[in-house]
Amino acid sequence: KGTPYFLIVYDLYPDVLVDLEYFTSKNFLIRFWKFLNNLVYEKSEKIIVLSDLMAEKIKLQNNSKKIHSKIVTISSWADPEFIKPINKEKNIFSKKHNLINSFVLIYSGNQGRCHDIWTIMQAAENLKQEKRIKFLIIGNGAQQKLIANKISSCNLENCINLPYQEYETLPYSLTSGDIAIVSIAENFESNVAPSKVYGHLAAGSPIAVISPPNSYLKEMVKKNKIGEHFINNDYRKLSEWILEMSSNSDRYKEFSRNARDFLIKNASKEIILNKY
């Protein structure tokens, strides 16, 4: 109807469906979907994406200079006043789930097929004899069955599997983790940009990124010293780093400080709203 609009792209569809091999790129539905996408791109005032990799993929798929000129990268964000570090002894979520004396790895959010859940669960199995280390898995999605089956079949008493929590619980659930795990499955680094990372940064949690080597998250954690990167399936190196962090207090504290500082300086609610 002629109303100006900005388009915000969180995930690239139908690319995800093609990469998951649900459809081929020649399928009529996919071709029609891309045709509609091009119309929406052409008529938008701006196209906002969450990562530069997503921006590059859209440019490769659309030769229009008009479309290229509209693309802007603005990351997701978190509110550092809503989510801030909480001492475990004062954290009601940590108390409720008996996590106060544990070193906790947290994966919180969507368990969809674009995320590497397998590597996380393999690390949990690899570390199941380490009684102090716990894996807290919160959320739901297509891979929830994989998680539940792995916990059951391998008797992973070091794993706590919980559904999505109420919004009001987030400041406590996110800060109950000592290290946050954020993952992208192989071949999906251009299609998705996990927003969950920013809540973890606000909580002051060092980030363990599991992703392909060209993921933007790898550069983020390495450059800013807010965590470590692991390629997909390398659960052994992930396990070694978890053990190192659980015993290296000075390095852990440095990562934790850097994580929250990075969020406040680059991706707080105020900063990102100003960019919009």
Side-chain angles (χ1 to χ4, degrees):
K1 296 182 179 180
T3 303
Y5 63 88
F6 285 9
L7 174 67
I8 306 173
V9 182
Y10 277 84
D11 302 311
L12 285 182
Y13 278 88
D15 305 70
V16 169
L17 300 177
V18 173
D19 290 343
L20 285 170
E21 299 182 351
Y22 290 150
F23 299 95
T24 69
S25 59
K26 296 180 180 180
N27 179 276
F28 172 77
L29 172 64
I30 299 301
R31 289 188 287 115
F32 183 63
W33 195 333
K34 289 190 173 183
F35 168 76
L36 292 178
N37 279 350
N38 288 337
L39 284 181
V40 175
Y41 292 157
E42 285 281 355
K43 295 180 179 297
S44 66
E45 298 295 312
K46 290 286 183 183
I47 304 165
I48 299 173
V49 297
L50 302 185
S51 76
D52 290 336
L53 282 176
M54 294 175 75
E56 289 303 314
K57 189 163 187 177
I58 291 175
K59 289 177 181 178
L60 285 172
Q61 294 178 343
N62 299 273
N63 295 323
S64 167
K65 291 184 179 179
K66 181 181 178 182
I67 290 177
H68 291 193
S69 67
K70 297 178 181 182
I71 300 174
V72 180
T73 299
I74 304 178
S75 76
S76 289
W77 53 273
D79 184 350
E81 295 305 313
F82 178 61
I83 300 172
K84 59 182 69 175
I86 301 174
N87 188 289
K88 284 189 179 184
E89 283 74 14
K90 298 179 181 179
N91 188 322
I92 56 175
F93 190 89
S94 297
K95 290 179 180 179
K96 179 179 178 180
H97 296 284
N98 195 28
L99 298 172
I100 292 176
N101 296 316
S102 299
F103 189 80
V104 180
L105 285 298
I106 181 172
Y107 180 92
S108 178
N110 183 21
Q111 300 160 3
R113 293 180 177 89
C114 297
H115 302 281
D116 184 348
I117 302 297
W118 186 89
T119 303
I120 299 170
M121 299 312 297
Q122 288 299 111
E125 182 182 6
N126 196 45
L127 293 171
K128 71 177 184 177
Q129 301 304 324
E130 301 290 335
K131 301 301 182 185
R132 181 170 169 257
I133 295 175
K134 302 290 184 185
F135 285 74
L136 174 61
I137 302 168
I138 302 174
N140 208 332
Q143 298 194 73
Q144 168 59 214
K145 190 173 181 180
L146 180 153
I147 294 168
N149 288 344
K150 184 72 171 178
I151 292 173
S152 176
S153 63
C154 297
N155 193 29
L156 299 183
E157 296 180 356
N158 59 339
C159 289
I160 300 171
N161 187 17
L162 300 174
Y164 278 115
Q165 302 297 295
E166 296 294 330
Y167 181 73
E168 296 77 16
T169 305
L170 276 179
Y172 303 98
S173 63
L174 293 185
T175 54
S176 69
D178 295 285
I179 288 177
I181 302 177
V182 179
S183 70
I184 301 175
E186 291 181 284
N187 302 319
F188 288 93
E189 63 274 14
S190 300
N191 293 338
V192 298
S195 300
K196 61 172 69 71
V197 66
Y198 298 95
H200 293 307
L201 292 173
S205 301
I207 309 295
V209 170
I210 305 167
S211 75
N214 60 332
S215 163
Y216 79 99
L217 290 176
K218 175 185 177 180
E219 181 182 3
M220 178 193 290
V221 298
K222 300 283 279 187
K223 180 180 178 181
N224 299 287
K225 297 181 180 179
I226 57 178
E228 189 56 87
H229 172 262
F230 307 91
I231 60 172
N232 300 100
N233 306 321
D234 196 354
Y235 67 90
R236 295 189 185 279
K237 283 191 177 179
L238 173 60
S239 300
E240 291 170 3
W241 188 71
I242 291 170
L243 287 172
E244 179 189 351
M245 287 295 99
S246 69
S247 60
N248 189 336
S249 179
D250 289 341
R251 192 165 180 228
Y252 173 83
K253 288 177 180 177
E254 178 187 3
F255 280 136
S256 180
R257 286 193 301 269
N258 291 346
R260 184 160 170 87
D261 286 347
F262 176 83
L263 184 283
I264 291 171
K265 293 175 182 177
N266 297 279
S268 69
K269 180 179 179 179
E270 180 181 359
I271 288 171
I272 298 304
L273 287 180
N274 283 336
K275 287 185 178 182
Y276 273 98

